[in-house]
Amino acid sequence: MYVVKIGGSLITDKNAYCKPEFENIYQYAKIIKKNWTALKGNLIIVLGGGSYGNAVPKRYHIDNSMNHWKPENIAMMTIKMQEWMREFYYAFKKYDIPCYPFQASAFVVSNEGEHYSSYIDPIKKCLEMGLLPIISGDLVFDEKNDFGIFSSDKIPEVIAEHLDVKKVVMLTDVPGVYLQNNKKEIIKTINKQNYRSVLGETGGSLKQDVTGGMKTKVKSLFKLSQYGCDSVICDGREPENIIEAFNEDKQIGTLIEGGNTNNIMRGDII
């Protein structure tokens, strides 16, 4: 079982408002179609929100429940994310890839922004039927703060709690994780020995972003490692990396080693 998160900056114009980049989406569709026999029933795609997931909450003041939000606008994030998944669905349908969209607000509840509870039996059934689940981040209801934006970077953790995930791949618009003061060489491996120093040197996105950029990715994948699965952050501008990242004999990007969080307290991760 593999989970691939395609960064919003790769498949939308992240500085625009709700604008897909279809030519890039088609490139991923072609590669998945070519490998579909092997991937069928073993792959989940997570969509970065991009110009949907980051622009919409700001426009309607629903990126934070402490804002002066209007009840009639609460649904706008979910409505626009449904629109985004629909656009992605039709792009993949063009290549006869059988997708099925799931909105996170329907199966995830958060607690202060972190995963609290979830129910993914419909996603499991979808996989059993040989379909490709596609999921995005969303506005979700929160145990303490009424609601909040649940980043697509956190969706793999939800999936790994319920399914035996072999590897999570995050495709981004950079080759891997850089330290803020060194943009020439990526960090090859993140583990419990260097996690704190790496996290302290990672930052947010330079584009519009409501969920924390690379720092959120590193934190989410490090927490994910408690389930024993490896994760990779790599360059999605090379579409073939969507498959290359599964190769156990070839490392691309930054590897976050599985099993890192054994004997590490939750507070140490956050």
Side-chain angles (χ1 to χ4, degrees):
M1 176 62 60
Y2 298 101
V3 178
V4 174
K5 189 257 177 157
I6 308 178
S9 60
L10 298 169
I11 46 180
T12 75
D13 181 347
K14 200 171 178 182
N15 286 326
Y17 182 78
C18 299
K19 183 181 178 183
E21 296 281 11
F22 286 109
E23 288 305 315
N24 294 341
I25 298 171
Y26 294 149
Q27 293 302 312
Y28 293 119
K30 290 175 185 177
I31 293 169
I32 288 177
K33 178 62 177 179
K34 182 179 178 180
N35 294 274
W36 182 241
T37 299
L39 295 174
K40 182 179 179 180
N42 298 309
L43 178 66
I44 294 173
I45 294 285
V46 179
L47 303 184
S51 60
Y52 288 84
N54 295 289
V56 173
K58 288 177 177 284
R59 175 170 290 195
Y60 292 98
H61 308 292
I62 53 175
D63 51 310
N64 189 310
S65 63
M66 301 302 291
N67 290 340
H68 296 294
W69 50 274
K70 297 180 180 179
E72 60 268 29
N73 289 336
I74 282 289
M76 286 307 302
M77 175 69 167
T78 298
I79 293 296
K80 297 304 284 187
M81 295 312 290
Q82 289 173 339
E83 176 186 308
W84 172 212
M85 287 193 292
R86 185 177 69 243
E87 297 284 7
F88 190 91
Y89 163 83
Y90 278 115
F92 267 47
K93 188 175 185 292
K94 183 176 180 179
Y95 292 87
D96 299 320
I97 301 171
C99 299
Y100 195 93
F102 291 91
Q103 62 186 74
S105 58
F107 67 89
V108 174
V109 175
S110 64
N111 187 4
E112 295 187 280
E114 300 301 320
H115 173 218
Y116 175 70
S117 65
S118 52
Y119 176 79
I120 72 160
D121 280 10
I123 297 174
K124 293 179 182 178
K125 184 63 179 179
C126 181
L127 290 165
E128 290 173 9
M129 293 172 62
L131 305 178
L132 174 61
I134 54 175
I135 309 170
S136 69
D138 202 351
L139 180 146
V140 304
F141 296 104
D142 191 276
E143 282 289 293
K144 186 173 182 179
N145 297 325
D146 293 332
F147 68 86
I149 304 302
F150 196 78
S151 170
S152 55
D153 291 336
K154 297 179 179 180
I155 295 294
E157 181 189 352
V158 176
I159 301 302
E161 185 178 88
H162 298 273
L163 292 172
D164 184 12
V165 177
K166 182 176 179 64
K167 182 177 280 188
V168 172
V169 176
M170 284 199 176
L171 301 174
T172 69
D173 59 359
V174 293
V177 179
Y178 291 105
L179 297 181
Q180 285 183 325
N181 61 356
N182 182 0
K183 301 297 184 182
K184 295 181 180 180
E185 186 176 352
I186 67 168
I187 301 165
K188 287 294 186 180
T189 304
I190 298 175
N191 51 38
K192 60 185 177 183
Q193 283 74 37
N194 67 354
Y195 168 73
R196 282 183 175 277
S197 62
V198 171
L199 190 66
E201 290 291 336
T202 54
S205 174
L206 296 177
K207 301 176 182 179
Q208 63 173 339
D209 190 279
V210 299
T211 57
M214 187 60 77
K215 187 180 289 289
T216 296
K217 290 176 176 58
V218 172
K219 288 170 64 176
S220 297
L221 293 180
F222 194 77
K223 286 197 293 182
L224 179 68
S225 71
Q226 69 185 292
Y227 299 106
C229 63
D230 289 341
S231 302
V232 173
I233 298 174
C234 63
D235 199 339
R237 295 170 299 182
E238 300 180 24
E240 63 275 9
N241 280 345
I242 199 170
I243 300 298
E244 287 293 319
F246 300 154
N247 190 340
E248 297 298 322
D249 299 322
K250 178 182 177 182
Q251 182 180 333
I252 58 175
T254 299
L255 172 70
I256 296 88
E257 294 180 344
N260 278 315
T261 53
N262 291 342
N263 302 318
I264 296 178
M265 299 298 289
R266 181 178 177 85
D268 291 331
I269 299 173
I270 298 171

